[in-house]
């Protein structure tokens, strides 16, 4: 037996890697349909992401449309210094960071919880109904959403105040209280986007090996144990990637929704970078494009620093990272 085994092993041909075709263009032309799918996103990136970076120099100039981009006077860091030393700088930064952090903490766990809950629903009709009900608000426009929020929270005709009056409480002007603005903004966003955001987690859960659950059921594991030891580790790489991307957009709070919900009574806590730029720059007599570009560049740099920092932390913790 040993001799026969030795003979068979000796006669087996050595493994040879398949020789590579030196002509890469032939391989590309043979699969041109797949490469053609890359053209639209590459064109989009070039037109709307990379070519506009040429205009970043406006932030370092006193831009005048009559002189053009390169003909305008170079002023260096003057526009940034103006923003950093403005009276509203710390108020705007505190509101932006506080609102963004609150939004991240509230919006990150709920899609995961909803996906885990739907994953274990046995009744398919009930599951589809819940999915439809939770997905639908995502397609409501921001203007309609803010209108719904204002009607629901109206101190005279709002259903919330009618319920409070039933219990003997006084009507509350929710939109007029500065301390409630962030909570109204964040939780209305959770209601609108939680169903749509859980789609990617449902897709990740469907990719987990069913044999792991079968073995856990045989061992007597409950659903909570299976969620904790099988489902959560299975979707954790996706969750980490989404968390890193969300942190990379930390200062992008959403201009339209904040502006529509803003009023003089809650402006103390609702004034963020985007609305500040709109009011100071574009509602003034002379539009200052350089000042707006400087603030936008500063916001992008902060987002980039946060993205790199969180990605490095993820790498040090030996979890999934972007690079």
């Amino acid at each position: 037996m040993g001799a026969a085994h030795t003979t068979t092993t000796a006669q087996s041909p050595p493994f040879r890697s398949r020789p590579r075709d030196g002509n890469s263009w032939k391989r590309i032309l043979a699969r041109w349909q797949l490469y053609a799918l890359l053209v639209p996103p590459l064109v989009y990136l070039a037109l709307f992401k990379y070519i506009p970076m040429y205009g970043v120099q406006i932030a370092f100039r006193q831009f005048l449309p009559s002189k053009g981009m390169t003909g305008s006077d170079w002023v260096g860091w003057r526009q940034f210094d103006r923003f950093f030393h403005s009276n509203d700088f710390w108020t705007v930064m505190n509101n932006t960071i506080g609102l963004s952090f609150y939004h991240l903490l509230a919006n990150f766990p709920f899609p995961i919880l909803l996906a885990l809950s739907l994953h274990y629903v046995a009744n398919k009709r009930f599951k589809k109904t819940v999915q439809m009900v939770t997905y639908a608000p995502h397609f409501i426009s921001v203007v309609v959403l803010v209108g719904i929020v204002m009607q629901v929270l109206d101190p005279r005709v709002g259903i919330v105040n009618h319920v409070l009056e039933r219990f003997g409480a006084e009507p509350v002007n929710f939109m007029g209280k500065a301390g409630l603005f962030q909570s109204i903004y964040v939780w209305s966003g959770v209601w609108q986007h939680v169903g749509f955001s859980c789609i990617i987690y449902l897709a990740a859960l469907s990719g987990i090996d069913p044999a792991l659950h079968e073995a856990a059921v045989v061992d007597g594991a409950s659903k909570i144990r299976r969620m904790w030891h099988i489902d959560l580790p299975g979707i954790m790489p996706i969750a980490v990637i989404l968390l890193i991307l969300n942190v990379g957009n930390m200062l992008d709070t959403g201009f339209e929704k904040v502006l529509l919900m803003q009023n003089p009574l809650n402006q103390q806590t609702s004034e963020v970078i985007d609305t500040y730029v709109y009011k100071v720059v574009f509602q003034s007599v002379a539009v200052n494009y350089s000042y707006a570009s400087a603030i936008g560049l500063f916001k992008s740099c902060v987002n980039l620093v946060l993205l790199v920092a969180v990605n490095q932390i993820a790498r040090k913790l030996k979890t999934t990272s972007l690079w």
Side-chain angles (χ1 to χ4, degrees):
M1 293 292 292
H5 177 72
T6 304
T7 304
T8 304
T9 305
Q11 291 178 353
S12 60
F15 174 77
R16 294 180 181 178
S17 60
R18 189 175 67 176
R20 293 184 177 180
D21 185 5
N23 194 344
S24 300
W25 287 107
K26 288 184 178 180
R27 296 199 303 272
I28 294 175
L29 291 175
R31 303 172 178 85
W32 67 269
Q33 297 92 340
L34 297 177
Y35 289 95
L37 295 175
L38 292 174
V39 174
L42 291 178
V43 171
Y44 170 80
L45 288 175
L47 290 178
F48 298 101
K49 300 298 180 181
Y50 287 98
I51 294 178
M53 292 178 68
Y54 175 75
V56 169
Q57 60 177 299
I58 295 179
F60 302 94
R61 298 179 180 272
Q62 187 60 49
F63 176 74
L64 295 175
S66 59
K67 293 184 178 181
M69 189 178 302
T70 57
S72 300
D73 297 333
W74 184 271
V75 296
W77 299 96
R78 182 188 301 174
Q79 307 295 346
F80 296 91
D81 185 70
R82 174 187 170 186
F83 177 56
F84 296 152
H85 290 87
S86 64
N87 296 330
D88 299 322
F89 174 75
W90 288 113
T91 300
V92 169
M93 288 301 299
N94 288 334
N95 292 341
T96 305
I97 295 174
L99 184 61
S100 300
F101 192 68
Y102 188 3
H103 186 267
L104 181 64
L105 288 179
N107 277 267
F108 183 70
F110 281 96
I112 298 177
L113 296 175
L114 179 60
L116 290 173
S117 302
L118 291 175
H119 185 63
Y120 284 89
V121 173
N123 191 325
K124 292 185 178 180
R125 179 176 295 181
F126 177 76
K127 180 178 180 179
K128 291 181 179 180
T129 302
V130 173
Q131 287 178 323
M132 182 185 66
V133 171
T134 55
Y135 294 173
H138 175 78
F139 301 99
I140 299 176
S141 69
V142 176
V143 177
V144 175
L145 173 69
V146 174
I148 294 173
V149 171
M150 289 186 174
Q151 288 297 319
V152 170
L153 301 179
D154 189 271
R156 292 176 297 176
V157 298
I159 186 173
V160 175
N161 278 297
H162 281 317
V163 173
L164 292 177
E165 290 178 354
R166 290 285 184 177
F167 288 94
E170 293 293 329
V172 179
N173 185 10
F174 291 96
M175 301 303 299
K177 290 186 175 294
L180 297 177
F181 172 83
Q182 293 187 349
S183 295
I184 297 172
Y185 175 91
V186 169
W187 292 111
S188 62
V190 171
W191 170 77
Q192 184 180 18
H193 299 296
V194 64
F196 192 82
S197 299
C198 81
I199 293 177
I200 190 170
Y201 295 112
L202 286 173
L205 288 170
S206 64
I208 296 177
D209 189 0
L212 297 175
H213 285 282
E214 293 172 1
V217 172
V218 171
D219 291 338
S222 63
K223 290 183 179 180
I224 299 298
R225 288 289 183 181
R226 287 157 57 192
M227 288 182 185
W228 184 259
H229 295 286
I230 299 176
D231 293 327
L232 284 178
I235 65 175
M236 192 54 63
I238 299 294
V240 172
I241 292 295
L242 293 178
L243 178 61
I244 294 173
L245 294 176
N246 288 333
V247 172
N249 296 320
M250 192 78 171
L251 299 186
D252 295 328
T253 54
F255 164 75
E256 297 90 351
K257 185 177 178 181
V258 175
L259 184 66
L260 290 171
M261 294 179 61
Q262 194 176 81
N263 58 59
L265 297 177
N266 61 25
Q267 189 170 349
Q268 180 182 355
T269 57
S270 64
E271 192 75 281
V272 295
I273 291 178
D274 293 330
T275 57
Y276 172 79
V277 172
Y278 173 73
K279 294 177 181 178
V280 174
V281 178
F282 295 104
Q283 287 188 344
S284 58
V285 177
V287 178
N288 193 334
Y289 296 102
S290 298
Y291 189 50
S293 300
I295 298 176
L297 181 58
F298 165 74
K299 185 176 69 172
S300 299
C301 290
V302 173
N303 284 335
L304 177 61
V305 171
L306 292 174
L307 177 67
V308 174
V310 175
N311 188 76
Q312 289 299 112
I313 293 174
R315 290 187 61 184
K316 289 185 179 296
L317 295 176
K318 297 182 179 180
T319 58
T320 306
S321 60
L322 292 177
W323 65 84

